[in-house]
């Protein structure tokens, strides 16, 4: 059993006019096996939370703490956070020209596991995971995300999730840009990883459609840089019906 504990997190970002505060004291605890949906309007700070936990240099931590099993995450480098068991699936996965998916995945797995996977075993792992995600095996030889469609990029993110087996996955708008079939396949991939492990999930989304496939245990509403309401799956139904107006109206 692992715990990701966020307490009083405050985050600012540099702008032309100085620093602007984005997160204004976020408290959130996620335990192994739990799925937490983070919902809210554009600009509320959801993605800032994700990237701050992952260690993006754009964001400056001005207060609060993030710990993983009692260990200070904010004191870790980005790669140390990944090795500790944190995984970020980005809303807009970046292209890495010249680096094949095969080499990228094996290098990442080597860093996480502490030793290179045996080639024969590794090839089988990758093929099995790609088949489950309905990915053509030819993608393994292409450069990372280069020329990939939006759905292919998101499947590649979940492929990494399946192979790297983190303790906690932060999924930043994984449903963005997916058609109905791709959404189902990607969601099934997330559910498969969770079923085979004690994965804790922070699922960031605007909409409830992905929550029809990935069932949340808890729903948190984000507005103006903090959590303003919390509840169970029924809260997502309320948001679907009424939207975010009551949280954004001054």
């Amino acid at each position: 059993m692992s715990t990701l504990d966020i307490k009083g997190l405050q985050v600012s970002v540099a702008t032309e006019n100085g620093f602007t505060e984005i997160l204004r004291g976020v408290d959130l605890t996620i335990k192994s096996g739990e799925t937490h949906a983070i919902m809210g309007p554009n600009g509320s700070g959801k993605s800032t939370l994700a990237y701050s936990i992952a260690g993006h240099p754009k964001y400056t931590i001005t207060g609060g703490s993030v710990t993983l099993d009692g260990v200070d995450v904010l004191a870790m480098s980005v790669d140390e956070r990944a090795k500790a068991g944190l995984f970020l699936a980005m809303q807009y996965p970046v292209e890495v020209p010249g680096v094949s998916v095969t080499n990228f995945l094996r290098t990442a797995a080597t860093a996480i596991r502490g030793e290179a996977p045996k080639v024969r075993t590794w090839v089988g792992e990758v093929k099995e995971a790609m088949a489950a995600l309905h990915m053509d095996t030819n993608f393994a030889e292409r450069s990372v995300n280069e020329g990939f469609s939006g759905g292919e990029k998101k499947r590649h993110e979940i492929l990494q999730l399946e192979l790297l087996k983190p303790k906690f996955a932060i999924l930043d708008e994984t449903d963005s840009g997916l058609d109905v079939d791709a959404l189902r396949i990607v969601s099934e991939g997330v559910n498969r990883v969770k079923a085979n492990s004690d994965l804790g999930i922070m699922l960031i989304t605007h909409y409830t459609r992905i929550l029809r496939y990935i069932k949340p245990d808890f729903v948190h509403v984000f507005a103006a840089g903090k959590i303003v309401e919390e509840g169970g799956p029924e809260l997502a139904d309320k948001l679907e019906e009424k939207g975010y107006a009551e949280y954004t109206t001054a």
Side-chain angles (χ1 to χ4, degrees), residues 50-115:
Y51 285 97
S52 298
I53 295 171
H56 195 297
K58 174 182 176 181
Y59 302 99
T60 301
I61 311 298
T62 57
S65 64
V66 180
T67 59
L68 176 55
D69 296 332
V71 180
D72 185 4
V73 169
L74 302 180
M76 301 178 185
S77 62
V78 173
D79 62 313
E80 288 171 340
R81 298 181 199 206
K83 290 176 183 177
L86 294 178
F87 176 90
L88 171 65
M90 295 181 286
Q91 181 180 0
Y92 303 109
V94 297
E95 297 183 2
V96 189
V99 178
S100 71
V101 168
T102 294
N103 288 337
F104 173 78
L105 292 172
R106 192 160 188 262
T107 299
T110 298
I112 296 297
R113 301 179 186 184
E115 61 180 6

Side-chain angles (χ1 to χ4, degrees), residues 226-247:
K226 57 185 178 181
I227 294 173
V228 295
E229 187 171 355
E230 298 176 295
E234 72 284 348
L235 180 52
D237 295 332
K238 172 188 171 183
L239 296 173
E240 176 76 3
E241 179 183 353
K242 298 184 177 180
Y244 299 112
E246 70 176 278
Y247 308 106

Side-chain angles (χ1 to χ4, degrees), residues 3-6 9 23 26 28-31 34-39 45-56 59 61 66-68 73-74 78 81-82 84-93 153-154 156-162 164-175 186 190 193-194 198-205 210 214 220 222:
T3 302
L4 179 64
D5 200 12
I6 303 163
L9 187 64
L23 299 187
V26 176
L28 179 64
T29 299
I30 302 175
K31 297 182 179 180
E34 294 180 348
T35 297
H36 292 247
I38 309 295
M39 304 185 70
K46 303 184 304 299
S47 292
T48 295
L49 176 63
Y51 285 97
S52 298
I53 295 171
H56 195 297
Y59 302 99
I61 311 298
V66 180
T67 59
L68 176 55
V73 169
L74 302 180
V78 173
R81 298 181 199 206
L86 294 178
F87 176 90
L88 171 65
M90 295 181 286
Q91 181 180 0
Y92 303 109
K153 288 180 179 179
K154 297 301 177 70
H156 181 222
E157 295 279 280
I158 304 309
L159 177 64
Q160 295 170 51
L161 179 65
E162 292 214 42
L164 300 180
K165 300 176 174 59
K167 294 179 180 178
F168 292 95
I170 302 169
L171 309 179
D172 185 19
E173 299 195 33
T174 296
D175 51 341
V186 164
V190 174
V193 175
K194 185 179 178 183
D198 290 325
L199 181 70
I201 299 172
M202 180 192 295
L203 176 60
I204 296 171
T205 183
I210 194 171
I214 302 174
H220 311 268
F222 240 69

